[in-house]
Amino acid sequence: MKAVLFDPGYSDCILGVSDNIEFMYSAFIQTPMQIKQKKFQFSILFPKLKKMLFQNVSFYLGCLLWAVYLKSIQDGFFEENPCYGVEFDKETAFDETNFLIDFIEDKFNRDAKYYINSIYEKDERFITILKTYNEFLMLNKGFQDVKTTSDIILPSNLKTVSSNELDLIKNKIDESINSKDLTKLFEVYNLILE
């Protein structure tokens, strides 16, 4: 059997980034200010939140791309799976992704209209990625029993990819990790999702 990485290096790209949309957004909403101050604050936050949203969703896309790549490896086993043996908590497992879905579909645009008279035009791919990731997490029960690549269950809406496409995916994963820019993964989005 061949040892494979559970995480190809994504954690290094997001580790140390204090940019947490939910934390930042909650702090903004809960901080008492006059409306004029709130509007000014939101005008500063708006581009930062857009950038963080793109980065966060890119991470989940990366997880799906990595799973597709791993599934192609015969007899691969995980030396380290931090989720292995950890009880899958359905109550909290989807907190972050569901927050992001709600943020994209409602909160962000509503607040952009209210505070800065602007529109956040959502990228439908973001919703597709997050919902697909939720299904992926559920199918694999939080990866608590995933020891080998054959244990991975892929969501049904992921496309079947050719060996050439697998090479493109792997190269793009490596490139995005080396540059610490997971948003580059969107260049191969269409290989796995509609």
Side-chain angles (χ1 to χ4, degrees), residues 18-185:
S18 61
D19 295 338
N20 179 308
I21 291 175
E22 189 170 5
F23 175 78
M24 187 181 276
Y25 182 75
S26 296
F28 167 75
I29 294 298
Q30 294 171 4
T31 303
M33 290 184 242
Q34 293 182 2
I35 191 66
K36 206 172 193 177
Q37 292 170 310
K38 280 260 195 205
K39 287 181 177 186
F40 177 71
Q41 281 292 66
F42 196 84
S43 70
I44 294 169
L45 275 180
F46 186 68
K48 290 179 183 179
L49 288 169
K50 280 173 60 173
K51 184 178 178 183
M52 287 190 321
L53 187 57
F54 192 20
Q55 291 169 337
N56 277 256
V57 175
S58 297
F59 167 77
Y60 291 107
L61 173 59
C63 294
L64 294 171
L65 288 164
W66 186 238
V68 167
Y69 177 76
L70 288 176
K71 194 68 179 165
S72 73
I73 299 173
Q74 298 296 317
D75 299 323
F77 74 95
F78 297 105
E79 288 182 323
E80 292 182 26
N81 171 359
C83 306
Y84 185 76
V86 176
E87 186 177 341
F88 178 52
D89 182 1
K90 291 180 192 174
E91 298 298 317
T92 61
F94 307 102
D95 284 354
E96 187 173 336
T97 49
N98 286 342
F99 172 83
L100 291 172
I101 290 168
D102 185 44
F103 187 73
I104 294 165
E105 291 190 324
D106 180 45
K107 291 177 184 165
F108 199 28
N109 190 47
R110 181 192 65 215
D111 286 347
K113 284 180 187 175
Y114 181 75
Y115 291 115
I116 58 173
N117 198 26
S118 185
I119 294 174
Y120 168 69
E121 293 183 26
K122 69 180 178 185
D123 186 330
E124 290 297 334
R125 298 175 303 173
F126 289 10
I127 302 299
T128 301
I129 290 163
L130 294 167
K131 287 184 176 179
T132 302
Y133 182 83
N134 278 354
E135 182 185 350
F136 177 55
L137 190 59
M138 181 60 94
L139 287 170
N140 291 282
K141 297 178 184 158
F143 314 107
Q144 66 182 7
D145 298 321
V146 175
K147 282 185 182 179
T148 68
T149 54
S150 61
D151 295 333
I152 297 170
I153 302 169
L154 297 175
S156 58
N157 68 322
L158 291 180
K159 296 179 187 177
T160 302
V161 295
S162 68
S163 59
N164 286 346
E165 291 169 331
L166 282 170
D167 290 341
L168 289 172
I169 287 170
K170 177 66 167 87
N171 290 338
K172 192 53 66 179
I173 289 170
D174 291 343
E175 179 188 338
S176 69
I177 290 168
N178 290 335
S179 67
K180 296 200 182 308
D181 181 6
L182 298 183
T183 62
K184 291 182 177 189
L185 296 170

